[in-house]
Amino acid sequence: MAMASPTSTSRGIVAAEPTPIELDWTATALLIIDMQRDFMEPGGFGETLGNDVSQLAGAVPPIAALLKAARASGMLVIHTREGHLPDLSDAPPAKVERGAPSLRIGDPGPMGRILIRGEAGHDIIPALYPLDDEIVIDKPGKGAFYATELGDVLQTYGIENLLVCGVTTEVCVNTTVREGNDRGYRCVVIADGCASYFPEFHQAGLAMIKAQGGIFGWVADSAAVLKAMTPDRSNRVAAGASR
Ligand code: TIU
């Protein structure tokens, strides 16, 4: 890969695994997957499936830091939300009937109907709430490309690279990264900006992405991305030297 000149301000080298990756920030979007109350808070979809939702809290501060930096730099920010129409017409029976949750998709819960658009539980958590001018993609599946306008949005904005974070690592983050990789996007997954109800699945989910020379993408810590986004000559030299 060609390296940017050290004085370039629109590009940066992220200290990622399995290799550093140079990104053109003008062709990069921050993609925040499903940071919704339904997954993050008690009484939502995640908990009805039997999960300990407190496992996900650690991803919030790193995402908040990236979101702040992205907003300050003018980077495209895209939020996604998993959920279904109130009449469940976009929810396959095979998904609704799945498993033995305490409440099924569409059932009334303490934050409104489980995983239904427009309900309180479906909304994004206050700490990461989208600004009015940010893009929010509603998705019926685990992947953010399936049955959504995401592909068209990325094409419209000339996006080639995705900084992917959110929940959960092995479900909606992994599915979206696999979809994005097949569509030609360089996906850099933010290790500390993702989380799973199962810590071992978080680790495995990241390992699968970066194995085999980065078979699905790259993995980096939020600090490495923030450092690469900082237009500081010493950072660029340091990142370049670590290659
Ligand atoms: N259950 C679980 O781990 N995740 C989901 O159902 N959706 C997302 O990952 N967003």
Side-chain angles (χ1 to χ4, degrees):
M1 179 182 295
M3 289 293 140
S5 98
T7 55
S8 166
T9 54
S10 68
R11 304 179 78 91
I13 300 169
V14 178
E17 293 183 293
T19 61
I21 178 169
E22 180 182 22
L23 298 176
D24 174 355
W25 302 121
T26 66
T28 301
L30 176 63
L31 182 60
I32 306 177
I33 304 291
D34 300 357
M35 292 300 288
Q36 297 162 254
R37 298 182 65 194
D38 254 325
F39 296 106
M40 304 297 296
E41 297 184 13
F45 182 60
E47 193 178 72
T48 69
L49 296 173
N51 296 308
D52 170 10
V53 296
S54 70
Q55 293 286 341
L56 306 187
V60 177
I63 299 175
L66 279 176
L67 184 55
K68 185 177 174 191
R71 286 170 173 166
S73 72
M75 180 185 290
L76 183 69
V77 175
I78 302 174
H79 307 257
T80 72
R81 298 185 296 203
E82 180 181 351
H84 297 282
L85 297 169
D87 65 2
L88 296 183
S89 58
D90 61 350
K95 180 178 182 182
V96 178
E97 296 164 1
R98 186 80 44 96
S102 57
L103 292 172
R104 293 197 183 275
I105 295 169
D107 285 349
M111 293 190 288
R113 293 178 67 203
I114 298 292
L115 217 60
I116 297 296
R117 295 184 193 175
E119 302 287 346
H122 180 262
D123 216 348
I124 291 172
I125 59 171
L128 302 174
Y129 208 77
L131 298 179
D132 285 345
D133 62 352
E134 287 173 351
I135 296 167
V136 179
I137 303 279
D138 280 317
K139 63 190 194 53
K142 303 304 184 191
F145 288 85
Y146 169 69
T148 74
E149 67 277 30
L150 179 59
D152 291 340
V153 168
L154 298 179
Q155 202 165 9
T156 298
Y157 284 89
I159 297 301
E160 300 170 2
N161 317 304
L162 298 171
L163 302 175
V164 188
C165 54
V167 296
T168 61
T169 313
E170 80 281 14
V171 182
C172 289
V173 171
N174 244 269
T175 306
T176 298
V177 167
R178 290 165 192 238
E179 288 181 326
N181 181 64
D182 276 351
R183 287 164 173 78
Y185 295 98
R186 299 179 195 91
C187 297
V188 180
V189 179
I190 312 303
D192 55 341
C194 297
S196 168
Y197 300 117
F198 306 89
E200 67 275 26
F201 289 173
H202 172 75
Q203 293 302 336
L206 297 177
M208 288 176 196
I209 289 164
K210 67 187 179 187
Q212 305 182 61
I215 196 75
F216 297 123
W218 289 256
V219 176
D221 284 327
S222 57
V225 175
L226 292 169
K227 187 173 181 183
M229 288 175 71
T230 306
D232 176 332
R233 188 178 161 78
S234 62
N235 287 347
R236 287 164 195 285
V237 170
S242 72
R243 291 179 63 240

Short mmCIF file of all heavy atoms in Angstrom, two decimals, residues 15 19-20 28 31 33 40 42 44 54 60 73 88 112 135 139 142 145-146 149 158 195 207 211 215 231 238:
data_model
loop_
_atom_site.label_atom_id
_atom_site.label_comp_id
_atom_site.label_asym_id
_atom_site.label_seq_id
_atom_site.Cartn_x
_atom_site.Cartn_y
_atom_site.Cartn_z
N ALA A 15 -2.31 2.02 13.81
CA ALA A 15 -1.57 0.85 14.30
C ALA A 15 -2.57 -0.26 14.58
O ALA A 15 -3.14 -0.35 15.66
CB ALA A 15 -0.79 1.21 15.56
N THR A 19 -1.90 -5.79 10.39
CA THR A 19 -0.90 -4.86 9.86
C THR A 19 -1.39 -3.44 10.11
O THR A 19 -2.60 -3.21 10.21
CB THR A 19 -0.73 -5.02 8.33
OG1 THR A 19 -1.99 -4.72 7.70
CG2 THR A 19 -0.27 -6.41 7.95
N PRO A 20 -0.49 -2.47 10.15
CA PRO A 20 -0.95 -1.08 10.14
C PRO A 20 -1.72 -0.83 8.85
O PRO A 20 -1.49 -1.49 7.83
CB PRO A 20 0.36 -0.27 10.16
CG PRO A 20 1.39 -1.22 10.65
CD PRO A 20 0.97 -2.58 10.17
N THR A 28 -13.54 7.74 4.80
CA THR A 28 -13.73 6.85 5.95
C THR A 28 -14.97 7.30 6.74
O THR A 28 -15.18 8.49 6.93
CB THR A 28 -12.49 6.91 6.88
OG1 THR A 28 -11.34 6.51 6.12
CG2 THR A 28 -12.64 6.01 8.08
N LEU A 31 -18.86 3.82 11.78
CA LEU A 31 -20.11 3.05 11.75
C LEU A 31 -20.35 2.46 13.14
O LEU A 31 -19.61 1.58 13.58
CB LEU A 31 -20.00 1.94 10.69
CG LEU A 31 -21.21 1.05 10.47
CD1 LEU A 31 -22.42 1.87 10.01
CD2 LEU A 31 -20.89 -0.02 9.41
N ILE A 33 -22.63 0.37 15.52
CA ILE A 33 -23.64 -0.68 15.37
C ILE A 33 -24.49 -0.83 16.64
O ILE A 33 -23.99 -1.19 17.71
CB ILE A 33 -22.96 -2.04 15.05
CG1 ILE A 33 -22.07 -1.96 13.80
CG2 ILE A 33 -24.00 -3.15 14.94
CD1 ILE A 33 -22.82 -1.78 12.52
N MET A 40 -28.41 -2.69 25.62
CA MET A 40 -27.50 -2.17 26.64
C MET A 40 -28.11 -2.10 28.03
O MET A 40 -27.38 -2.01 29.02
CB MET A 40 -27.05 -0.75 26.26
CG MET A 40 -26.40 -0.61 24.90
SD MET A 40 -24.85 -1.53 24.77
CE MET A 40 -23.83 -0.69 25.97
N PRO A 42 -31.18 -3.11 31.15
CA PRO A 42 -32.08 -4.16 31.64
C PRO A 42 -33.49 -3.97 31.08
O PRO A 42 -33.94 -2.84 30.88
CB PRO A 42 -32.08 -3.94 33.16
CG PRO A 42 -30.81 -3.19 33.45
CD PRO A 42 -30.55 -2.34 32.23
N GLY A 44 -34.56 -5.02 28.10
CA GLY A 44 -34.61 -5.00 26.64
C GLY A 44 -34.41 -6.37 26.02
O GLY A 44 -34.39 -7.39 26.71
N SER A 54 -24.74 -5.87 31.54
CA SER A 54 -23.63 -5.06 32.05
C SER A 54 -22.31 -5.38 31.34
O SER A 54 -21.38 -4.59 31.37
CB SER A 54 -23.47 -5.26 33.56
OG SER A 54 -22.98 -6.56 33.84
N VAL A 60 -18.83 1.72 25.74
CA VAL A 60 -19.39 3.07 25.57
C VAL A 60 -18.33 4.18 25.58
O VAL A 60 -18.30 5.01 24.65
CB VAL A 60 -20.51 3.34 26.61
CG1 VAL A 60 -21.03 4.77 26.47
CG2 VAL A 60 -21.65 2.33 26.43
N SER A 73 -13.80 16.32 13.46
CA SER A 73 -13.03 16.31 12.22
C SER A 73 -13.92 16.36 10.97
O SER A 73 -13.41 16.49 9.86
CB SER A 73 -12.17 15.04 12.15
OG SER A 73 -12.99 13.90 11.93
N LEU A 88 -44.54 -6.20 12.44
CA LEU A 88 -43.61 -7.33 12.32
C LEU A 88 -43.50 -7.86 10.88
O LEU A 88 -43.01 -8.98 10.67
CB LEU A 88 -43.99 -8.49 13.26
CG LEU A 88 -43.92 -8.19 14.77
CD1 LEU A 88 -44.27 -9.46 15.56
CD2 LEU A 88 -42.53 -7.72 15.16
N GLY A 112 -41.11 -0.56 26.35
CA GLY A 112 -41.97 -0.64 25.17
C GLY A 112 -41.85 -2.01 24.52
O GLY A 112 -41.24 -2.92 25.08
N ILE A 135 -26.57 10.22 10.14
CA ILE A 135 -27.36 9.18 9.47
C ILE A 135 -27.65 8.04 10.43
O ILE A 135 -26.76 7.56 11.14
CB ILE A 135 -26.59 8.67 8.23
CG1 ILE A 135 -26.43 9.80 7.22
CG2 ILE A 135 -27.27 7.45 7.62
CD1 ILE A 135 -25.43 9.51 6.13
N LYS A 139 -32.25 -1.37 10.57
CA LYS A 139 -31.97 -2.65 9.91
C LYS A 139 -32.78 -3.77 10.56
O LYS A 139 -32.86 -3.85 11.78
CB LYS A 139 -30.46 -2.95 9.96
CG LYS A 139 -29.88 -3.13 11.36
CD LYS A 139 -28.36 -3.16 11.27
CE LYS A 139 -27.64 -3.65 12.49
NZ LYS A 139 -28.01 -4.91 13.06
N LYS A 142 -29.12 -8.81 11.26
CA LYS A 142 -27.91 -8.62 12.04
C LYS A 142 -26.90 -7.79 11.26
O LYS A 142 -26.18 -6.97 11.82
CB LYS A 142 -27.31 -9.98 12.44
CG LYS A 142 -28.28 -10.88 13.22
CD LYS A 142 -28.84 -10.22 14.46
CE LYS A 142 -29.73 -11.18 15.25
NZ LYS A 142 -30.48 -10.48 16.31
N PHE A 145 -25.95 -4.12 6.10
CA PHE A 145 -26.18 -3.95 4.66
C PHE A 145 -27.46 -4.63 4.20
O PHE A 145 -28.07 -4.21 3.22
CB PHE A 145 -24.99 -4.51 3.85
CG PHE A 145 -23.75 -3.68 3.95
CD1 PHE A 145 -22.85 -3.85 4.99
CD2 PHE A 145 -23.45 -2.73 2.98
CE1 PHE A 145 -21.69 -3.08 5.08
CE2 PHE A 145 -22.31 -1.95 3.05
CZ PHE A 145 -21.42 -2.13 4.10
N TYR A 146 -27.87 -5.68 4.89
CA TYR A 146 -29.03 -6.46 4.47
C TYR A 146 -30.32 -5.65 4.59
O TYR A 146 -30.67 -5.19 5.70
CB TYR A 146 -29.15 -7.76 5.28
CG TYR A 146 -30.46 -8.46 5.05
CD1 TYR A 146 -30.74 -9.03 3.82
CD2 TYR A 146 -31.44 -8.47 6.03
CE1 TYR A 146 -31.97 -9.63 3.58
CE2 TYR A 146 -32.67 -9.06 5.80
CZ TYR A 146 -32.93 -9.63 4.57
OH TYR A 146 -34.13 -10.20 4.34
N GLU A 149 -30.43 0.87 3.27
CA GLU A 149 -29.86 1.80 2.31
C GLU A 149 -28.37 2.05 2.56
O GLU A 149 -27.78 2.94 1.93
CB GLU A 149 -30.63 3.13 2.34
CG GLU A 149 -30.51 3.95 3.63
CD GLU A 149 -31.44 3.52 4.77
OE1 GLU A 149 -31.79 2.33 4.86
OE2 GLU A 149 -31.78 4.40 5.58
N GLY A 158 -18.80 8.52 -1.06
CA GLY A 158 -17.47 8.13 -1.49
C GLY A 158 -16.66 7.42 -0.42
O GLY A 158 -15.44 7.57 -0.33
N ALA A 195 -18.32 -5.02 22.13
CA ALA A 195 -18.48 -5.86 23.31
C ALA A 195 -19.49 -6.95 23.01
O ALA A 195 -20.30 -6.83 22.08
CB ALA A 195 -18.96 -5.03 24.51
N ALA A 207 -10.58 -12.09 16.79
CA ALA A 207 -9.52 -12.96 16.25
C ALA A 207 -9.87 -13.44 14.84
O ALA A 207 -9.01 -13.50 13.96
CB ALA A 207 -9.31 -14.16 17.19
N ALA A 211 -7.42 -12.72 11.54
CA ALA A 211 -6.63 -13.91 11.20
C ALA A 211 -6.36 -13.97 9.70
O ALA A 211 -6.98 -13.25 8.91
CB ALA A 211 -7.37 -15.17 11.65
N ILE A 215 -8.46 -11.56 7.19
CA ILE A 215 -9.35 -12.19 6.21
C ILE A 215 -10.64 -11.40 6.02
O ILE A 215 -11.21 -11.37 4.92
CB ILE A 215 -9.64 -13.66 6.62
CG1 ILE A 215 -10.23 -14.45 5.46
CG2 ILE A 215 -10.50 -13.76 7.85
CD1 ILE A 215 -9.25 -14.83 4.40
N PRO A 231 -3.61 15.28 13.64
CA PRO A 231 -2.64 15.79 12.67
C PRO A 231 -1.38 16.28 13.35
O PRO A 231 -1.12 17.46 13.47
CB PRO A 231 -3.40 16.93 11.98
CG PRO A 231 -4.39 17.39 12.99
CD PRO A 231 -4.75 16.20 13.82
N ALA A 238 5.89 8.16 14.33
CA ALA A 238 5.90 7.01 15.25
C ALA A 238 5.11 5.85 14.66
O ALA A 238 5.54 4.70 14.68
CB ALA A 238 5.30 7.42 16.59
#
